[in-house]
């Protein structure tokens, strides 16, 4: 939003801030997790050592000449930021760059035995197979007798709060989700969302997924419900083309989640079969656009992606990272209208997000004052508050 110079872009250069902590502490923790998750050999271990040093003490280096996406990353900013500290460039850019470089270190893109092996898969599968997931799927049986609008509302809230299971967040904030019994919605435009998804049975819903595992499952359940009850005719699920931000969903993660549902029995299995059927007949389409892993806000999206979103009845943007990309990763005054911050997005858009970073728009002055009085600024990053915001 270049017309809002008053809202500075968030950097990671100030010790004690949340972004600085991600770069200085969370990224090294993720490198340790990846080392422990898979038995990488000496060459990969050395590459991880080098990345650890570079991301905490070094400067941004261009991708190697033979990298398949070198030119793409040059247009995304490596020409601009090369030679600068990881802490002195936009935080959104630096975070995305970390995950791109991590995939290099583990040999994800290079020909060889580790090509295409998701370094985060062990943690994703562990979460998907956990007793907590069993409990959530069993709870679907209790919903089956409820009126359709109650089920829809319950599944929307499941999708909203599901991303508290975000693996990357949990790494550095163990126990955060236990601290608040029923975390509050700081903004709730859900009625406007339902009015866009009236039972016409013809509209297209785009859902931009965030995390795999216990967040992706409720996203899929919501899509299955909307399709089955004629609230939409078609859904387009945007996932990442390669592993990103520890737990972001890829096509493989969607397939794992659908299999998990179909194997669970009861109402969960019925949802799983519905999703399988929708995938095979084209009512549910997967997209894995390269821009989904771009270190840039949606204001900079390419024309083909813009056309996709423009044609949708509604685009639902899930999670914290997508929210940062939607409104721009800036220190907005919290009362900045959501509609103003999302003006460049083509077509109606809804954000479903638990709050895990400093970016926030669309609050009333009273809500902001109450949050600050109760918690200082911790409410912005603790994952104990959420929002449903809609711009029609």
């Amino acid at each position: 939003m270049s017309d809002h110079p008053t809202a500075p872009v968030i950097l990671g250069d100030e010790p004690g801030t949340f972004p600085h902590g991600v770069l200085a502490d969370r990224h090294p923790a993720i490198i340790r997790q990846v080392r422990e998750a898979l038995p990488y050999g000496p060459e990969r271990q050395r590459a991880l050592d080098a990345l650890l040093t570079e991301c905490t003490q070094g400067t941004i280096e261009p991708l190697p000449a033979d990298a398949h996406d070198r030119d793409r990353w040059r247009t995304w900013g490596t020409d601009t930021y090369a030679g600068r500290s990881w802490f002195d460039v936009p935080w959104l850019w630096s975070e995305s760059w970390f995950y791109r470089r991590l995939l290099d270190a583990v040999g994800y893109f290079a020909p060889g035995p580790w090509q295409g092996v998701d370094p985060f898969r062990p943690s994703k599968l562990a979460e998907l197979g956990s007793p907590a997931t069993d409990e959530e799927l069993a709870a679907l049986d209790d919903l089956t007798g409820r009126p359709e609008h109650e089920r829809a509302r319950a599944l929307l809230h499941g999708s909203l709060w599901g991303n508290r299971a975000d693996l990357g967040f949990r790494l550095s904030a163990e126990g955060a989700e236990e601290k608040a019994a029923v975390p509050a919605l700081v903004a709730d435009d859900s009625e406007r969302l339902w009015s866009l998804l009236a039972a016409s049975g013809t509209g297209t819903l785009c859902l931009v997924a965030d995390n795999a595992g216990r967040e992706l499952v409720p996203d899929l359940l919501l899509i299955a419900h909307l399709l089955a009850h004629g609230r939409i005719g078609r859904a387009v699920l945007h996932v990442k083309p390669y592993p990103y931000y520890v737990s972001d969903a890829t096509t493989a993660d969607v397939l794992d989640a659908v299999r998990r549902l179909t194997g669970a029995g009861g109402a969960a299995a019925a949802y799983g079969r519905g999703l399988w059927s929708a995938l095979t007949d084209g009512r549910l389409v997967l997209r894995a656009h390269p821009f989904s892993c771009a270190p840039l806000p949606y204001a900079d999206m390419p024309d083909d992606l813009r056309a996709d979103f423009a044609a949708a009845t509604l685009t639902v943007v899930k999670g914290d990272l997508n929210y940062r990309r939607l409104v721009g990763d800036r220190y907005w005054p919290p009362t900045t209208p959501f509609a103003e911050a999302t003006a460049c997005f083509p077509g109606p858009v809804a954000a479903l997000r638990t709050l895990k970073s400093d970016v926030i728009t669309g609050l009333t002055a009273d809500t902001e004052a109450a949050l600050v009085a109760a918690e200082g600024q911790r409410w912005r990053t603790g994952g104990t508050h959420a929002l449903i915001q809609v711009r029609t």
Side-chain angles (χ1 to χ4, degrees), residues 10 22 85 100 125 127 130 162 173 181 208 211 234 237 244 255 283 285 291 301 344 356 374 382:
I10 295 175
V22 168
S85 162
R100 174 61 186 83
L125 289 177
E127 186 190 275
S130 70
V208 182
N211 297 313
R234 181 170 171 271
L237 180 62
Y244 192 60
L255 301 180
R283 285 175 299 130
V285 178
F291 191 78
M301 77 179 96
C344 63
K356 302 179 196 170

Side-chain angles (χ1 to χ4, degrees), residues 115-157:
Q115 187 172 26
V117 176
D118 182 348
F120 310 124
R121 187 166 167 80
S123 50
K124 290 173 176 177
L125 289 177
E127 186 190 275
L128 203 52
S130 70
T133 305
D134 289 330
E135 288 168 27
E136 286 165 12
L137 296 183
L140 291 171
D141 293 337
D142 300 333
L143 274 183
T144 47
R146 300 287 179 87
E148 186 274 333
H149 69 276
E150 281 186 28
R151 278 180 284 158
R153 191 179 302 126
L155 292 171
L156 178 69
H157 280 264

Side-chain angles (χ1 to χ4, degrees), residues 95-275:
E95 276 196 292
S96 297
W97 182 240
F98 170 78
Y99 289 101
R100 174 61 186 83
R101 294 297 313 282
L102 182 64
L103 293 183
D104 265 349
V106 298
Y108 183 87
F109 292 117
W114 293 100
Q115 187 172 26
V117 176
D118 182 348
F120 310 124
R121 187 166 167 80
S123 50
K124 290 173 176 177
L125 289 177
E127 186 190 275
L128 203 52
S130 70
T133 305
D134 289 330
E135 288 168 27
E136 286 165 12
L137 296 183
L140 291 171
D141 293 337
D142 300 333
L143 274 183
T144 47
R146 300 287 179 87
E148 186 274 333
H149 69 276
E150 281 186 28
R151 278 180 284 158
R153 191 179 302 126
L155 292 171
L156 178 69
H157 280 264
S159 177
L160 172 65
W161 289 109
N163 66 358
R164 281 197 297 160
D166 169 352
L167 305 170
F169 183 69
R170 205 169 55 204
L171 250 168
S172 54
E174 201 64 60
E177 58 184 318
E178 282 85 46
K179 285 178 189 163
V182 185
L185 280 177
V186 299
D188 185 3
D189 295 340
S190 51
E191 290 312 312
R192 196 176 302 167
L193 183 146
W194 292 125
S195 71
L196 288 166
L197 299 177
S200 68
T202 56
T204 295
L205 171 74
C206 281
L207 193 148
V208 182
D210 190 33
N211 297 313
R214 279 173 64 203
E215 180 182 354
L216 183 59
V217 166
D219 292 347
L220 289 168
L221 294 171
L222 179 62
I223 287 171
H225 180 91
L226 296 175
L227 285 169
H229 292 275
R231 285 182 179 261
I232 55 174
R234 181 170 171 271
V236 181
L237 180 62
H238 287 258
V239 295
K240 302 297 189 293
Y242 49 79
Y244 192 60
Y245 276 74
V246 181
S247 47
D248 279 29
T250 64
T251 299
D253 298 320
V254 174
L255 301 180
D256 286 337
V258 173
R259 279 193 210 100
R260 180 72 167 89
L261 285 167
T262 52
Y271 280 111
R273 288 192 296 272
L275 289 160

